[in-house]
Amino acid sequence: MSDQESNLVDPFGRAVTYLRVSVTDRCDFRCTYCMAEDMTFLPRKDLLTLEEIDRLSSAFVARGVRKIRLTGGEPLVRRNIMSLIESLSRHLDNGLDELTLTTNGSQLHRFADQLAEHGVKRINVSLDTLDAAKFGLLTRWGDFHQVMRGIDLAARAGLKIKINAVALRDVNEDEIEDLLRWTHGRGFDLTLIETMPLGEIGTDRTDQYLPLSLVRARLSQHFTLEDIPDRTGGPARYVRVRETGGRLGFITPMTHNFCESCNRVRVTCTGTLYMCLGQEDAADLRHPMRTSESDDPLHAAIDEAISRKPKGHDFVIDRDAAPSLSRFMSSTGG
Ligand code: SAM
Ligand code: SF4
């Protein structure tokens, strides 16, 4: 491929440098805001094989992607996931700056050391509460103590940890300060996330929605939040908390103000490329991979898709409306 082709730039001049890959739609938890308890998963034959995920990810690296995040479902429950991570790590320092993942932490006690050995430097762990009983209710199937053990082992393995917590009205809104003190006390970053209207979960999302503007105003009564210019090309905005010295992020996907710097695309575990988390438009990358040994049709499909990357999203949370998007966060990986 020539140098000229080696960048993916969309019609709005945004270079795509960040790929998020959902490696499975399955999960060992059933978080109430993410899935219904009787969630139906995809037939296994529809999933990309690990080799196909490697091929697809490598095609993006060849085109200028510098960061890959594996997600899901729960990425660490995909069988042989470490072989994919080991294989993708060949791109580190060779086009790829960062290989990372977002996990619920349930399998970290098994994999923390191997992740570090394969060049993973940082991970995001989703944890919405420090209360074991509440954790059980929120995740339905999760074991709080196992996750805490996994986090300890990941920290001991030298992985930098960012805790992601979804802010939920009446559920953890009284705990945000504790989460802040706990994460920063351990040297972890904390990022708070607003709920997004993805997938039919069997309950009314307006009951869970807690605007982060309110959370921020409450935190400001006890902490000094200093804006810092750190940007990831996504919907996160960061502050330094003067009293703890730690970094706190706010992910407010319902606002539009981050779209102009968007640098990312997402691939589902079936090889569907979503150019925007908040839009239905997508491109199938599995077919061009399965029908040709050459990567040319795959690159052509990627180019065609990037030429359609939309300017922004159309999220709304409305009591009477169906979810803005029918697909689940667990299929695009968040
Ligand atoms: N299972 C892994 C985990 O929980 O970290 C990775 C996949 S999960 C879908 C990725 C992130 O999306 C998690 O931090 C989760 O809390 C968040 N999430 C799931 N559903 C959401 C929703 N409807 N709105 C906002 N965040 C959501
Ligand atoms: Fe599983 Fe993550 Fe969704 Fe929870 S948020 S059900 S851990 S995919």
Side-chain angles (χ1 to χ4, degrees), residues 33 125 199 256:
Y33 52 78
V125 183
H256 272 267

Side-chain angles (χ1 to χ4, degrees), residues 8 28-29 50 57 106 111-112 127 136 154 173 196 228 255 269 272-273 281 301 323:
L8 294 172
D28 52 346
F29 291 5
L50 293 178
S57 306
S106 70
F111 294 127
L127 179 72
E173 61 177 304
M196 285 175 257
I228 47 176
T255 59
C269 52
T272 303
L273 179 71
D281 191 25

Side-chain angles (χ1 to χ4, degrees), residues 1 15 39 86 89 101 109 141 190 194 243 249 253 261 267 319 322:
M1 189 174 305
M39 177 84 178
E86 179 174 14
S89 70
L101 76 163
H109 61 289
W141 296 3
L190 173 66
E194 259 171 14
E243 290 74 7
S261 60
V267 183
R319 189 169 285 277

Side-chain angles (χ1 to χ4, degrees), residues 26-31 33-35 72-74 104 126 139 330:
R26 284 160 207 267
C27 188
D28 52 346
F29 291 5
R30 291 290 182 279
C31 300
Y33 52 78
C34 179
M35 293 186 189
E74 173 47 41
N104 65 21
S126 304
T139 62
S330 51

Side-chain angles (χ1 to χ4, degrees), residues 20 27 29 31 33-35 70-75 102-105 124-128 164-166 193-198 205 208 253 329-331 333-334:
R20 299 168 72 110
C27 188
F29 291 5
C31 300
Y33 52 78
C34 179
M35 293 186 189
L70 304 183
T71 172
E74 173 47 41
T102 299
T103 173
N104 65 21
N124 290 356
V125 183
S126 304
L127 179 72
D128 306 319
N164 282 346
V166 178
I193 308 176
E194 259 171 14
T195 46
M196 285 175 257
L198 295 179
R205 286 187 189 277
Q208 301 179 330
M329 187 69 120
S330 51
S331 69

